[in-house]
Amino acid sequence: MRKKVLILGGGSGGVITANKLVEILGDQVEVTVVDRNAEHTFIAAYPWVAFGLREIEQIRRPLVALQKKGIHFLQAEVQELQPDRNAVQTERGELTYDYLVVSLGAEPLAYPVEGAQAPWSEEGALALRAWLKETKGERWVVGVSSPYYPCPPAPFEVAGQLDFALRVKGLRDRSSIAIFHMNPAPLAGMGPVISHAISKILDRKGVEFHGSFELTEGGDGVVKAADGRTLEYDRLILVPPFAPNKVVRESPLAGPNGFPEVSPDTFRSLQYENIFVIGDTVNPGLNLPPAGVVVHYQGEYVAGVIAADLRGAYIGEPFNPVAMCIMDFGDDAVLPECDFTDMLAGRGMPSCGVMARGRSVRIAKMLFESMFFATLF
């Protein structure tokens, strides 16, 4: 009898895990992906939508297309996890499983400043595009409202892309761009090599960086930090605060701060041996960055761990605690590589270096997008 593997979330982690399970185990498993949305969105491309390099329909694929790979898809809102019963409640009824993989991502909370936007959603990307169409030269501020948000480099990329867009429009000399962050230096958590490289790019672009800026309040064209510093703006691009997915943080899986407690070696729940949690739902609690490349490796690895349970030997991919993330600054790009082995083990900071830099690096990001869609859908 085939084992039932239920995957919650049709983002990168979910579709990668599903594809890998079918690739390794074939007819030994019945794989079902559940997501409230009908389509998978390549979230990393939302800023490209904001700056006119992509349209919304170009960065999405219908999740029902997974069925040609032998993967079932159910469009439904997940309402409750009931791990003691091996069951999940959805708006379309109860689902049972032999194995559960939770990849529901992080949940954006309300913006702490009225009128702010961020181009990491359809609404935010289109709002920024409209702002760019309207602008005649203004004070732009990019900021982060909490320490936990998906893709740590993203605000710095947007600040760099904004500089490039305003130059193309001939408005850069009539505009100012500033970025604020809780860290004392750009991407300080990735170490001095990466931080220095990003600082040089921001300096070259004339983007002011305001570090150790803990946002306490904002509105009416001003944001204020806990230490009393203020920044004035006409347009505020603000990353909202995030939390673990609500369904997860209100479930028996939730641990301290809402993050599920899992083994850092296998991502298997410490409470339920047939449940795995990957991606932004759990990574901040493991000292892993909430980034797409990390959940990519986790998805492949977890598929192998499940296969090992069923076949008695590990036959999948090893988990690779190394992240490579192409940072696109519009007319420049950086490809860093970070090894998070020590950070995952609680022994210290990641070891990071710059693998490549230049405009040609941007092409690699676009090629990855194409490969991602072609391989998984």
Side-chain angles (χ1 to χ4, degrees), residues 288-337:
L288 285 171
V293 65
V294 176
V295 74
H296 187 125
Y297 290 139
Q298 286 175 320
E300 291 186 334
Y301 178 64
V302 162
V305 175
I306 293 173
D309 278 4
L310 300 181
R311 288 189 173 180
Y314 181 73
I315 54 175
E317 302 290 337
F319 175 61
N320 186 1
V322 174
M324 292 171 286
C325 172
I326 298 171
M327 302 179 192
D328 177 11
F329 297 95
D331 58 349
D332 201 350
V334 175
L335 174 58
E337 180 183 58

Side-chain angles (χ1 to χ4, degrees), residues 8-210:
L8 305 183
S12 296
V15 298
I16 287 166
T17 307
N19 272 270
K20 197 66 177 182
L21 278 167
V22 171
E23 177 188 331
I24 297 174
L25 292 170
D27 291 339
Q28 286 185 262
V29 288
E30 177 185 311
V31 179
T32 301
V33 173
V34 182
D35 198 283
R36 64 185 178 186
N37 298 309
E39 297 173 308
H40 169 89
T41 300
F42 191 74
I43 294 175
Y46 269 133
W48 289 346
V49 172
F51 292 103
L53 294 171
R54 292 286 188 278
E55 298 300 328
I56 289 291
E57 59 270 17
Q58 292 177 297
I59 66 169
R60 289 181 173 164
R61 295 294 184 273
L63 283 164
V64 71
L66 294 171
Q67 293 183 178
K68 66 185 179 185
K69 299 284 191 76
I71 300 163
H72 302 291
F73 170 62
L74 175 68
Q75 184 180 0
E77 184 90 33
V78 177
Q79 296 175 328
E80 185 180 1
L81 308 185
Q82 299 177 340
D84 292 316
R85 299 181 53 245
N86 289 339
V88 172
Q89 299 298 327
T90 79
E91 63 179 344
R92 297 181 63 180
E94 180 176 281
L95 302 173
T96 60
Y97 57 83
D98 296 300
Y99 288 94
L100 177 68
V101 180
V102 180
S103 185
L104 287 169
E107 180 181 351
L109 304 179
Y111 282 100
V113 180
E114 186 177 354
Q117 288 289 355
W120 296 285
S121 66
E122 177 177 346
E123 178 186 5
L126 295 178
L128 178 51
R129 183 185 285 196
W131 283 359
L132 287 167
K133 184 177 181 180
E134 297 166 359
T135 187
K136 301 300 181 186
E138 297 168 299
R139 298 167 298 180
W140 296 78
V141 171
V142 181
V144 172
S145 60
S146 74
Y148 169 47
Y149 64 93
C151 192
F156 300 94
E157 291 183 277
V158 166
Q161 292 176 32
L162 178 60
D163 162 77
F164 179 62
L166 292 172
R167 290 183 191 280
V168 170
K169 291 172 69 69
L171 298 173
R172 188 61 179 95
D173 60 345
R174 285 186 272 166
S175 308
S176 65
I177 306 173
I179 182 168
F180 67 84
H181 202 285
M182 295 177 178
N183 288 342
L187 294 174
M190 296 177 72
V193 174
I194 304 301
S195 183
H196 179 67
I198 303 310
S199 293
K200 287 182 65 176
I201 290 175
L202 296 180
D203 287 345
R204 178 179 65 79
K205 288 175 165 286
V207 176
E208 297 178 7
F209 175 75
H210 299 267

Side-chain angles (χ1 to χ4, degrees), residues 249 268 287 317:
R249 69 177 187 263
R268 193 190 296 263
N287 290 322
E317 302 290 337

